[in-house]
Amino acid sequence: MRFTPARLWLLVLLLLPSALRAATDPSYTELRNARPDGRTVPVNGLVLERDVFRFQFESGAFHFLKPVGGRTVGAVFVGHGSYRLSPATENERRQLALSSGADKGGFETLSDQFDDLVLLFADDTAQEIELHAPVRAGSPDPRASEVYERYLKRQRKDFRINFHVRLLKDLLNNPGLTSGVFMALVEGKKYPPALAAVDPDGAEALGLFSRLGEEDTTFLVADANRGGLWYEADRRAEVDRKRKSPEKRLTDALDYTVDTVVEKDADLAGTTTLHFKTLVPGVRVLPILLTSTLRIQEGSFALDSPGAEPTWKPVTFIQEPDKEDSNAAVVFPEPLAKGAMVRLRLSYKGDKVLIDGGDKNYYVGARESWYPNVGIFSDPATFDLTYHVPVGNEIISVGKQVEVKTVGNQSVSHWQTEIPVQVAGFNYGKFKKVEKPDETSKVDVAVYTNPGTPDIIREINAAMSGEAIGEINSDPETGAPRPGLGKMNTARLADASLADGLNSARLFTAYFGPLPQTHVAITQQSNPNFGQSWPMLIFMPYISFLDGTQRQRLGMERAKDFVDQVGYHEFAHQWWGHLVGAETYRDQWLEEGFAEFSAALAVQHVKGWSEYDRFWRERRKEIVEKRPGNSMAPYEAGPITQGFRLSTPRTPSAGGLIYPKGGYVLHMLRMLMFDTTSKDPDARFIAMMKDYTSTYGGKFASSADFQKVVERHMVPAMNATADGKMDWFFNQWVYGTDVPRYVHDLKLESAGGEETRIHGTIRQEGVAKDFRALVPIYVEFGKNETVRVGMLPVVGESTIPVDVKLKLPKSARKVVLNHRGEVLARE
């Protein structure tokens, strides 16, 4: 057996006892072990204001934590106090009302009282407290110590976020900083435990979630039922000046070399070498994204030196236990200079990355964090990927396969990306392949299906045969046992997936421009109803490979639309998400909504305009109809720029609004630009979309960026405010929540000769006074035969009289408003 240097290095590391490999940074140890040290400051009426937060400490005392590196960075308050959160924007006020359960109509501020509180800070909080009263020395107060221990347990078990890593970053990357992060951990009497934070590096730096962006102020609640990101925004001063916080990245990833070993089917071990450039001076602490079930074994780094081999030095790492505050980070022994070119090498091993679905079916769980990285969907890089798997199984990966060989009892495949991509991923199992190039788009499409039968299908067959009791065991109408699904033969449905992929490649290239890559792999996975798209690699849900008869036997007739459209949606993400990324979660409608629109476009070109119209009627229902378990319709919860945060205990279904409403926004723009008199009615829309992909290809776009592109392609009807801007449209549909209702009494009658008169009124209801719409008026000649005869501008809640005469080609039956859903409306 032949070993490469990287492979041999990995094997040596895996044989070393963990005690010899792990090292702990002394500053982190000091910070983690800091407890109240007996220094106290009595307070009476002290107020600390941090942006939108106001903390009033009415009576009691602060108990400082033991200094770290000679600096006080934390305190415990015991006594009586209160806090207030006054949102900086109307949308965040609405969000806070929904999340907290308040009445959104009369809600202004969130306030609560507390008896204790923990502060962690790298700003001047300690000095501000000391200005209130002299510091007293003494023995640690047992009550303060108990409060802090309770907080540490909550950090590990409830928040499961290592706030000490965030604090350490300020302490070591910026020694002496007095304008760093401020974090208050508070347990109120009305509301659940929460983190109130103001972070100059942005909310994402706190380690909460990815794609949070640079907004500074956060209120995160830790509660199994009501928890979530209740508030996130730029600082009030930035909101008032309409200036966003600048980006504050530490590094720019250049390339990853990832060597992965799949052991015992589902266990995984690997080494990743990350090559990056530092963007700021003094980097010592670098947060790393890695799933907590993969445990770091060793770390080292080397600085690039022209003409010389890299000299590797050990680097310490931080990774608390799985299922606790396990945010990973590395700590370099000395500060890195700005512009330094660095190679960071980490080894790791663990399980639960792969889930064994049975019979050579596997589901890749930790898709975003199966290798150490410094940012997915925010920091594109090239990838060199090597996989070692048991012979008989195979890997389908992001990138292009450059080699595959058998070494002993392992299959070794090597993949490389030709362009920077935002994330790497793979599918694993045993596959059959069908492949075909599309000559028009120059994209080669391959479909990989699994010949085996996963455990979920075996369980369904057992239930249907009467071996198990469940809802799917019998027909709901007759009560008779359902016939089983039988042995799965997904390969015979691969041709349909291949056809959808080829149609998608051809159509989307025509409408949106070419992809930078020349191949896309569509792979089956054992997860039944969850699809996802990675660069050049699509994970299709198992249900999409069931035929109509099998779905009917499962009682899944209503899944037909999902199955028919999911392939188009996921393929479209090669453009929306991977060619052009969204800047933050607030802009994610530019990915999911655009993919939803793309699916509708494919439906139209395959099945006709009637199915396209039905697609948007169904999406309209998802937007405007209240669902069981929700206190209001999804559109009422907030604008699409709130993204996933729209899912609250009162509106659990609203988090998916970016899909239907995001898609509807693009549909409305298309209809505004649609020219029925042109040989190519979509020419103007296509030019706009190709401008968008060419301008932001390989980059990240915001909602404001897309608006600028739209404004470059405005047609006269879109210039509703005569200023060449699309503020009116984006303020209503992207940043707003209004959805109008239309009532009309328009009638047709002969006007003599060849003319027909249309007269009556159109009323727009349920919108703000400056809400604008161009309401399309159609006449219907017969079934499935309608023609648009005009567009009526309507502003605010108003009734507009209509009295026009026109020549029609033949007798019409009636007048129809908004026939193609050009305006999203409640009715």
Side-chain angles (χ1 to χ4, degrees):
M1 183 180 294
R2 178 174 168 271
F3 294 103
T4 65
R7 175 78 172 136
L8 183 61
W9 184 83
L10 170 62
L11 293 176
V12 170
L13 288 174
L14 297 181
L15 292 173
L16 288 175
S18 60
L20 296 178
R21 297 192 299 269
T24 303
D25 176 74
S27 296
Y28 177 73
T29 301
E30 193 177 6
L31 180 59
R32 194 79 173 185
N33 291 336
R35 298 294 189 276
D37 65 356
R39 293 176 299 141
T40 63
V41 175
V43 295
N44 184 6
L46 171 64
V47 173
L48 295 179
E49 293 193 7
R50 298 292 184 270
D51 191 35
V52 296
F53 299 113
R54 186 179 191 274
F55 299 92
Q56 181 161 339
F57 304 93
E58 295 165 9
S59 61
F62 276 103
H63 305 259
F64 286 128
L65 302 185
K66 183 179 179 180
V68 176
R71 179 176 176 181
T72 297
V73 294
V76 177
F77 172 78
V78 178
H80 181 66
S82 61
Y83 70 85
R84 185 178 69 206
L85 167 52
S86 303
T89 70
E90 173 59 24
N91 284 336
E92 286 300 320
R93 184 198 66 78
R94 178 192 291 106
Q95 181 73 43
L96 192 56
L98 284 175
S99 298
S100 64
D103 178 4
K104 69 174 184 176
F107 179 83
E108 293 295 335
T109 63
L110 183 82
S111 60
D112 202 354
Q113 296 182 337
F114 55 82
D115 295 327
D116 51 61
L117 172 145
V118 171
L119 298 179
L120 297 174
F121 44 80
D123 62 0
D124 58 359
T125 295
Q127 294 90 323
E128 191 170 349
I129 293 172
E130 290 172 3
L131 287 174
H132 182 77
V135 179
R136 299 176 181 177
S139 299
D141 181 271
R143 167 67 174 148
S145 298
E146 184 274 329
V147 168
Y148 194 68
E149 294 301 327
R150 189 180 74 229
Y151 151 70
L152 289 176
K153 182 178 179 181
R154 177 160 290 129
Q155 174 175 303
R156 295 192 307 269
K157 300 298 184 180
D158 297 336
F159 285 102
R160 294 178 64 178
I161 300 168
N162 195 334
F163 298 121
H164 291 104
V165 167
R166 174 63 192 93
L167 189 55
L168 185 72
K169 183 160 76 80
D170 272 356
L171 297 180
L172 297 188
N173 290 8
N174 302 280
L177 180 72
T178 57
S179 58
V181 67
F182 171 89
M183 296 179 281
L185 286 303
V186 58
E187 183 173 0
K189 296 185 177 181
K190 291 191 298 184
Y191 299 114
L195 164 74
V198 180
D199 192 336
D201 287 354
E204 195 164 334
L206 293 167
L208 314 182
F209 317 105
S210 62
R211 306 183 87 170
L212 288 185
E214 306 301 323
E215 293 176 322
D216 307 76
T217 306
T218 302
F219 191 73
L220 177 71
V221 173
D223 183 81
N225 298 315
R226 303 169 63 190
L229 199 57
W230 283 19
Y231 181 86
E232 189 201 17
D234 286 313
R235 299 193 200 201
R236 185 182 297 279
E238 294 169 330
V239 171
D240 292 343
R241 294 197 307 267
K242 296 183 179 181
R243 292 180 58 185
K244 297 174 62 176
S245 298
E247 187 179 35
K248 302 180 183 68
R249 294 166 54 206
L250 298 178
T251 61
D252 178 23
L254 304 175
D255 57 79
Y256 290 83
T257 301
V258 185
D259 192 295
T260 301
V261 181
V262 176
E263 302 175 331
K264 298 178 182 178
D265 289 336
D267 293 342
L268 186 145
T271 57
T272 290
T273 302
L274 163 61
H275 188 207
F276 65 85
K277 176 182 179 180
T278 56
L279 300 177
V280 296
V283 174
R284 285 199 60 202
V285 179
L286 180 63
I288 297 293
L289 181 63
L290 181 67
T291 184
S292 61
T293 61
L294 288 176
R295 310 306 299 174
I296 300 175
Q297 307 293 303
E298 179 64 271
S300 59
F301 80 103
L303 299 178
D304 282 0
S305 181
E309 288 293 317
T311 301
W312 293 93
K313 300 178 183 179
V315 63
T316 58
F317 59 86
I318 298 167
Q319 189 183 35
E320 296 295 335
D322 181 26
K323 297 181 181 178
E324 293 191 5
D325 52 340
S326 57
N327 306 60
V330 295
V331 184
F332 298 99
E334 65 268 346
L336 302 176
K338 181 179 180 180
M341 308 294 283
V342 186
R343 298 180 190 274
L344 173 64
R345 186 167 62 190
L346 298 173
S347 71
Y348 44 91
K349 66 182 301 185
D351 58 11
K352 298 181 182 177
V353 172
L354 295 169
I355 301 170
D356 188 346
D359 206 2
K360 302 296 184 180
N361 284 269
Y362 294 89
Y363 173 54
V364 184
R367 293 189 184 156
E368 300 176 359
S369 52
W370 63 274
Y371 59 95
N373 66 82
V374 291
I376 59 162
F377 305 118
S378 61
D379 194 4
T382 56
F383 284 81
D384 187 294
L385 303 147
T386 302
Y387 302 90
H388 310 256
V389 304
V391 168
N393 289 339
E394 59 186 303
I395 290 286
I396 313 300
S397 175
V398 160
K400 182 178 181 180
Q401 188 179 81
V402 295
E403 183 184 28
V404 61
K405 60 185 178 181
T406 299
V407 181
N409 63 352
Q410 289 189 323
S411 174
V412 182
S413 61
H414 183 200
W415 305 71
Q416 292 178 333
T417 63
E418 300 170 337
I419 58 172
V421 297
Q422 299 175 35
V423 62
F426 67 94
N427 208 351
Y428 171 63
K430 188 174 182 179
F431 300 101
K432 288 186 177 180
K433 175 184 176 182
V434 294
E435 184 176 19
K436 186 176 181 180
D438 177 58
E439 295 298 331
T440 303
S441 66
K442 308 302 181 186
V443 175
D444 179 80
V445 179
V447 177
Y448 296 84
T449 55
N450 191 290
T453 303
D455 293 341
I456 182 64
I457 300 301
R458 299 178 190 277
E459 293 168 7
I460 289 172
N461 278 329
M464 288 182 158
S465 65
E467 296 175 23
I469 298 174
E471 187 175 337
I472 62 173
N473 189 33
S474 60
D475 185 280
E477 295 183 3
T478 66
R482 294 182 187 271
L485 297 180
K487 184 174 176 57
M488 303 307 300
N489 184 11
T490 54
R492 65 188 174 87
L493 294 173
D495 288 341
S497 292
L498 181 64
D500 286 349
L502 293 169
N503 285 334
S504 296
R506 189 177 307 117
L507 176 64
F508 300 159
T509 297
Y511 267 76
F512 311 135
L515 290 174
Q517 73 266 23
T518 58
H519 74 280
V520 175
I522 300 172
T523 64
Q524 173 196 326
Q525 65 176 0
S526 56
N527 187 293
N529 56 10
F530 176 69
Q532 196 169 42
S533 180
W534 258 208
M536 296 160 274
L537 176 65
I538 295 173
F539 304 90
M540 287 289 283
Y542 201 89
I543 184 179
S544 67
F545 291 94
L546 301 180
D547 61 32
T549 301
Q550 290 167 328
R551 294 197 303 272
Q552 185 177 26
R553 289 175 181 174
L554 285 172
M556 302 175 68
E557 292 87 345
R558 286 193 292 179
K560 183 179 185 304
D561 281 349
F562 171 77
V563 171
D564 289 346
Q565 299 160 14
V566 65
Y568 300 135
H569 178 105
E570 298 304 338
F571 207 103
H573 277 306
Q574 298 302 308
W575 283 263
W576 316 127
H578 302 313
L579 175 58
V580 182
E583 193 170 87
T584 74
Y585 78 96
R586 292 193 183 276
D587 311 296
Q588 209 167 349
W589 70 276
L590 296 172
E591 296 178 353
E592 298 298 352
F594 280 33
E596 197 76 348
F597 169 83
S598 302
L601 195 64
V603 166
Q604 176 211 321
H605 281 261
V606 172
K607 296 184 177 181
W609 278 100
S610 62
E611 283 300 299
Y612 178 83
D613 294 339
R614 189 178 74 83
F615 183 101
W616 293 116
R617 287 197 298 271
E618 293 301 315
R619 299 296 86 76
R620 187 195 68 81
K621 291 178 184 177
E622 294 177 16
I623 298 165
V624 305
E625 292 185 359
K626 179 180 163 184
R627 303 183 198 179
N630 291 259
S631 63
M632 62 191 69
Y635 80 92
E636 296 177 284
I640 51 178
T641 50
Q642 295 297 105
F644 71 93
R645 295 175 55 210
L646 291 175
S647 286
T648 70
R650 296 173 63 187
T651 56
S653 300
L657 189 64
I658 59 173
Y659 289 77
K661 191 178 179 185
Y664 217 110
V665 168
L666 200 55
H667 162 66
M668 288 190 289
L669 286 171
R670 180 197 186 191
M671 291 294 98
L672 282 170
M673 304 178 81
F674 201 77
D675 184 1
T676 57
T677 66
S678 171
K679 182 179 178 181
D680 183 359
D682 269 326
R684 297 181 296 199
F685 177 76
I686 290 171
M688 179 184 74
M689 299 307 292
K690 288 184 175 180
D691 185 3
Y692 180 55
T693 57
S694 63
T695 301
Y696 293 99
K699 303 175 184 177
F700 301 92
S702 67
S703 302
D705 292 330
F706 178 61
Q707 179 179 339
K708 292 175 184 176
V709 174
V710 174
E711 289 171 348
R712 290 202 289 265
H713 296 268
M714 289 174 61
V715 300
M718 298 165 71
N719 194 16
T721 49
D723 57 1
K725 301 291 185 181
M726 288 294 287
D727 290 347
W728 68 273
F729 182 90
F730 278 76
N731 287 342
Q732 292 173 185
W733 299 114
V734 176
Y735 307 109
T737 60
D738 283 358
V739 174
R741 175 184 288 110
Y742 293 105
V743 180
H744 79 93
D745 59 3
L746 297 180
K747 297 178 178 62
L748 288 169
E749 64 181 35
S750 174
E754 298 179 352
E755 290 189 321
T756 299
R757 181 188 179 202
I758 301 176
H759 66 97
T761 60
I762 297 175
R763 178 163 179 78
Q764 181 171 264
E765 300 177 343
V767 294
K769 62 181 180 180
D770 58 348
F771 186 96
R772 297 175 180 273
L774 287 171
V775 184
I777 303 174
Y778 287 78
V779 293
E780 181 181 295
F781 297 108
K783 186 177 181 181
N784 298 325
E785 187 181 5
T786 57
V787 174
R788 191 171 75 187
V789 295
M791 302 275 281
L792 184 69
V794 186
V795 180
E797 288 200 337
S798 57
T799 301
I800 308 297
V802 176
D803 196 343
V804 296
K805 296 177 182 179
L806 64 163
K807 291 184 179 181
L808 298 177
K810 56 183 176 179
S811 178
R813 298 197 313 183
K814 62 179 180 180
V815 181
V816 180
L817 285 192
N818 206 23
H819 169 69
R820 188 135 281 155
E822 291 95 327
V823 181
L824 174 60
R826 280 178 278 172
E827 296 291 347

